[in-house]
Amino acid sequence: QVQLVESGGGLVQAGGSLRLSCAASGRTFSSYAVGWFRQAPGKEREFVAAISWGGGSTYYADSVKGRFTISRDNAKNTGYLQMNSLKPEDTAVYYCAATFTSATYYKGKGYDYWGQGTQVTVSS
């Protein structure tokens, strides 16, 4: 099994930045691709970003391209989501997720393990 724990959420003003972390345990970190998702109250969960097993490929939803950067440090068993130029519409609970085998991880599909989520609130 894989355990994922998100951290780094909080309250920030529009235009500000936050860095979310996803600490993993239970399996070799490099064994899985990592994705980030978010869900606002009353809305469906949406895919935000994904990174390949070795970190060589990254993918982003159109809504965050140019503002968010996904990365990973396999030596630290941790994934990251750097969020810049935050907007009120970015407000949501953010989740990290992992998949060992999904061929469509970059589309936000096939994730097997999920963290508990961390709240990000962006004020106007």
Side-chain angles (χ1 to χ4, degrees), residues 8-10 12 15-20 36 38 48 67-69 81-86 90 94 118 120 122:
V12 63
S17 299
L18 286 173
R19 188 180 74 165
L20 306 184
W36 285 92
R38 65 187 182 186
V48 175
R67 299 188 299 120
F68 290 11
T69 302
L81 184 68
Q82 177 68 45
M83 306 185 296
N84 299 326
S85 302
L86 283 162
D90 294 320
Y94 283 70
T118 185
V120 172
V122 184

Side-chain angles (χ1 to χ4, degrees), residues 9-10 26 28 38 41 49 61-62 74 77 81 83-85 87 90 104 106 112-113 120-121:
T28 302
R38 65 187 182 186
D62 289 342
N74 289 346
N77 297 324
L81 184 68
M83 306 185 296
N84 299 326
S85 302
K87 305 174 181 179
D90 294 320
T104 53
Y106 59 94
D112 304 302
Y113 303 97
V120 172
T121 302

Side-chain angles (χ1 to χ4, degrees), residues 1-122:
Q1 300 296 315
V2 174
Q3 294 80 46
L4 304 172
V5 180
E6 302 95 334
S7 62
L11 175 65
V12 63
Q13 294 183 13
S17 299
L18 286 173
R19 188 180 74 165
L20 306 184
S21 297
C22 177
S25 62
R27 295 286 296 274
T28 302
F29 189 65
S30 61
S31 295
Y32 42 88
V34 174
W36 285 92
F37 300 78
R38 65 187 182 186
Q39 186 168 28
K43 298 182 179 180
E44 296 183 349
R45 185 178 64 200
E46 64 175 326
F47 169 71
V48 175
I51 188 166
S52 61
W53 289 259
S57 299
T58 58
Y59 306 89
Y60 299 94
D62 289 342
S63 59
V64 305
K65 286 181 179 177
R67 299 188 299 120
F68 290 11
T69 302
I70 189 171
S71 62
R72 66 190 298 162
D73 188 336
N74 289 346
K76 297 181 178 180
N77 297 324
T78 303
Y80 303 96
L81 184 68
Q82 177 68 45
M83 306 185 296
N84 299 326
S85 302
L86 283 162
K87 305 174 181 179
E89 52 263 44
D90 294 320
T91 295
V93 176
Y94 283 70
Y95 300 88
C96 67
T99 177
F100 295 103
T101 60
S102 176
T104 53
Y105 74 96
Y106 59 94
K107 299 179 180 179
K109 305 293 186 180
Y111 287 84
D112 304 302
Y113 303 97
W114 296 81
Q116 85 290 345
T118 185
Q119 177 70 46
V120 172
T121 302
V122 184

